[in-house]
Amino acid sequence: MINLKDCEFWFIVGSQDLYGDETLRQVADHAKIMTDEFNKSPYIPCAVVFKPTAKSPQGIRSLFEEANASPSCAGIITWMHTFSPSKMWIQGFSVNRKPLLHLHTQFNRDIPWAKIDMDFMNLNQSAHGDREHGYIHTRMRLARKVIAGFWQDNELRRKIGVWMRAASAKHEGMNKAVLRLGDNMREVAVTEGDKVEAQIKMGWQVNTWGIGDLADRYANISDSQAENLLNEYESLYEIAPGIKQDSVKRNTVLQQAKIEIALKQMLEVCNSGAFTTNFQDLHGLPQLPGLAAQRLMEQGYGFGAEGDWKQSMLTFCAKIMAQGLSGGVSFMEDYTYHFEPGNEAVLGAHMLEICPSIAQDRPRIEIHPLAIGGKDDPARLVFNAAAGSAVLATLVDLGNRFRMIVNEIETVKIENEMPRLPVARALWKPRPSLADSAEAWILCGGTHHSVYTSALTSDYFHDWAAMCGIEFVLIDKNTNVNRLQDELRWGETYWNQISYR
Ligand code: MN
């Protein structure tokens, strides 16, 4: 997986020649100090790169052209220390292809009451210079993020960090493919979608390989390779009693180890960050990839079941955004409801494929029948998700656009044993309530599949959706279902205007 520190964000500070050399020197000095401080901040996960002060149309355009051509530049941060006439920026913005953050701050925190004079005012002009700058973004209808506040404030830096992580996920998505093993599950609508539009909007290459390609690799994985991986499993997870002693059961786990090795080889060869499987198409494999899919998610790969490539790539993007943060990211499915009055909750799980990064305790490898698909009993990791706040995010294709839906939830401790449901699972209380959240989600057309993350908040997905130019709908504690329905109607008009220009 990409290292976030390898993602560069170019800090371009605007000014103009009018002020003279001394003022321009101070502008550059301040920008350099800010760059260095940002790079030391634990809230800033990526590299901030100091760039020459922008003060002419030609110079600005060159900077943006250079940024476009740079494979490591994941976004641009602009700030107007002084006034920088915005007509100078039009050519640069016209060619810009990188996500843009307009940082609205000033170098000094306090007004120097006793010393303030006209020299100070000539140098420290962001309060009005950034308004001129913001106008041209709005006038040009440019997608951008605006973050305002004092640059040393940690909350401001946290917001920059959120945006950077989203931009890094967007950046890395441009380089990666989703490896689809087989097609979507037959007759299912919500997992379908426009793969060409996904590549245009989000950069994802969504391509298909036959399951036979994986089966061939699987057949060539040696027993000793699988035994080595089994040793790793034993160091990381509990193994259910009886598996190690029973040669058939032990072999079941070894088969998943071989699938994991073969699939990882294929992901690397195909430069893929994410993959999908389909239990209807497992020719040549002894089991549905259960443990193997869980393990690969834990290593940073996105996963989608039943051919759900949209949630697979979104899982991958969320894993990039969550890098180094506490909490995990997993593919998820709404499984069943608990309607006890006052204690309503959703049980989320999947047949097998939930990522152990969200586990409360050490996961346990177990083997049980699947009751679907007609293959051997698959090995899987069984665990409960850790309690705490989390979000669910999903992507659907509405025919003329993608819509992202995010629901803020509170995951709770599972108090009851479920000995006859041996799968990894999470139990949560969605905001604003189970009924309202489900009504809202269904009115949005949200799928039963989603990305579950305890590491991220809705802000990350909001920023990422904005960069991709796709619709974003939030369901949170303030959601009113009737009002949301109105917003969706208004949005329909807006998106019909701008889709397929
Ligand atoms: Mn499913």
Side-chain angles (χ1 to χ4, degrees):
M1 193 196 280
I2 189 175
N3 182 343
L4 287 178
K5 278 287 175 203
D6 293 336
C7 292
E8 292 182 0
F9 289 84
W10 290 14
F11 189 34
I12 301 180
V13 177
S15 189
Q16 60 179 327
D17 284 322
L18 194 68
Y19 298 106
D21 290 345
E22 175 54 21
T23 299
L24 288 173
R25 187 189 58 76
Q26 290 181 73
V27 166
D29 286 352
H30 290 171
K32 181 72 172 64
I33 291 168
M34 290 165 73
T35 303
D36 292 345
E37 291 297 316
F38 284 148
N39 280 321
K40 281 186 239 160
S41 169
Y43 293 92
I44 307 283
C46 305
V48 180
V49 179
F50 171 73
K51 287 289 163 183
T53 306
K55 51 194 185 195
S56 72
Q58 293 73 20
I60 293 167
R61 183 185 165 131
S62 299
L63 271 172
F64 281 101
E65 284 172 340
E66 206 188 314
N68 283 344
S70 164
S72 45
C73 177
I76 288 176
I77 304 172
T78 59
W79 169 53
M80 303 304 109
H81 192 322
T82 64
F83 199 85
S84 180
S86 281
K87 282 156 75 176
M88 296 197 315
W89 291 76
I90 292 174
Q91 287 94 332
F93 285 143
S94 298
V95 299
N96 179 40
R97 301 282 300 159
K98 303 283 174 166
L100 183 64
L101 167 61
H102 179 192
L103 177 62
H104 180 45
T105 188
Q106 65 184 18
F107 189 69
N108 55 300
R109 192 192 70 176
D110 299 343
I111 296 173
W113 305 105
K115 286 196 240 162
I116 189 165
D117 60 10
M118 290 314 290
D119 284 345
F120 179 90
M121 292 310 300
N122 273 335
L123 176 62
N124 298 287
Q125 299 195 323
S126 36
H128 60 280
D130 270 331
R131 287 167 204 261
E132 163 76 357
H133 194 63
Y135 166 74
I136 204 64
H137 297 152
T138 300
R139 174 71 177 76
M140 294 177 75
R141 273 69 172 174
L142 298 176
R144 86 283 195 188
K145 176 85 178 176
V146 181
I147 299 179
F150 184 51
W151 65 280
Q152 291 182 2
D153 179 58
N154 283 337
E155 175 54 17
L156 174 126
R157 292 180 177 185
R158 188 195 65 79
K159 287 182 185 171
I160 295 174
V162 168
W163 177 82
M164 281 179 163
R165 286 171 180 276
S168 300
K170 171 84 175 15
H171 185 66
E172 184 60 357
M174 308 286 284
N175 297 326
K176 286 283 191 273
V178 187
L179 187 151
R180 301 170 73 226
L181 289 163
D183 202 353
N184 296 54
M185 184 177 166
R186 284 188 280 279
E187 312 291 1
V188 176
V190 79
T191 55
E192 291 282 359
D194 184 338
K195 302 192 282 291
V196 175
E197 188 66 7
Q199 189 163 351
I200 293 169
K201 281 283 185 296
M202 297 168 267
W204 304 351
Q205 303 161 61
V206 187
N207 293 324
T208 303
W209 280 262
I211 190 75
D213 293 337
L214 177 63
D216 285 350
R217 284 184 185 276
Y218 169 83
N220 287 322
I221 305 300
S222 70
D223 291 343
S224 65
Q225 284 172 285
E227 289 286 351
N228 287 342
L229 199 50
L230 183 59
N231 288 337
E232 189 179 325
Y233 295 167
E234 287 183 45
S235 70
L236 292 170
Y237 317 115
E238 303 293 323
I239 312 275
I243 289 182
K244 279 187 260 183
Q245 297 75 14
D246 181 320
S247 63
V248 174
K249 287 181 175 169
R250 194 167 181 282
N251 192 48
T252 297
V253 181
L254 286 170
Q255 286 175 344
Q256 286 284 343
K258 286 187 180 180
I259 297 173
E260 177 185 333
I261 296 165
L263 197 41
K264 193 169 178 177
Q265 280 179 359
M266 235 182 127
L267 287 161
E268 285 171 3
V269 167
C270 303
N271 193 35
S272 299
F275 66 102
T276 65
T277 59
N278 183 344
F279 68 91
Q280 291 172 325
D281 185 3
L282 294 173
H283 308 290
L285 289 186
Q287 309 167 38
L288 176 67
L291 174 60
Q294 293 177 295
R295 286 269 309 161
L296 288 164
M297 264 192 280
E298 194 177 24
Q299 292 164 57
Y301 291 99
F303 170 78
E306 291 104 49
D308 193 341
W309 53 269
K310 298 192 297 298
Q311 305 339 312
S312 179
M313 196 70 209
L314 192 56
T315 305
F316 170 74
C317 288
K319 282 184 176 287
I320 290 186
M321 292 194 278
Q323 202 179 111
L325 301 176
S326 64
V329 175
S330 179
F331 176 73
M332 187 56 74
E333 181 173 87
D334 296 275
Y335 229 42
T336 195
Y337 293 136
H338 186 65
F339 274 131
E340 179 193 348
N343 196 27
E344 295 87 350
V346 182
L347 183 69
H350 202 260
M351 289 194 294
L352 307 171
E353 311 94 333
I354 300 295
C355 178
S357 66
I358 67 168
Q360 172 82 56
D361 301 311
R362 200 168 145 103
R364 186 158 84 154
I365 293 178
E366 300 185 19
I367 298 165
H368 303 278
L370 200 55
I372 190 167
K375 287 281 174 176
D376 293 351
D377 298 351
R380 82 288 306 269
L381 289 165
V382 179
F383 56 86
N384 291 337
S389 52
V391 296
L392 297 170
T394 195
L395 267 181
V396 292
D397 184 343
L398 295 182
N400 66 345
R401 66 185 186 276
F402 288 103
R403 170 180 284 166
M404 168 172 278
I405 307 146
V406 173
N407 191 187
E408 296 184 350
I409 61 171
E410 187 70 25
T411 300
V412 295
K413 188 166 188 286
I414 299 178
E415 304 286 357
N416 299 286
E417 296 291 321
M418 289 176 274
R420 301 181 67 177
L421 188 72
V423 293
R425 57 266 172 135
L427 186 70
W428 65 78
K429 294 175 176 293
R431 295 182 206 283
S433 66
L434 193 156
D436 284 352
S437 120
E439 288 175 10
W441 187 277
I442 286 170
L443 285 165
C444 289
T447 167
H448 55 295
H449 285 166
S450 58
V451 177
Y452 171 105
T453 173
S454 51
L456 304 171
T457 56
S458 56
D459 305 347
Y460 293 82
F461 294 99
H462 174 272
D463 285 2
W464 182 85
M467 284 167 203
C468 295
I470 65 167
E471 186 181 9
F472 175 87
V473 183
L474 176 65
I475 303 166
D476 68 358
K477 65 180 192 315
N478 298 317
T479 293
N480 171 293
V481 177
N482 289 342
R483 179 166 306 170
L484 177 73
Q485 222 171 345
D486 284 338
E487 288 168 11
L488 296 177
R489 289 192 188 103
W490 304 331
E492 203 66 36
T493 308
Y494 169 79
W495 288 100
N496 282 340
Q497 290 289 321
I498 70 160
S499 295
Y500 297 127
R501 275 181 299 197

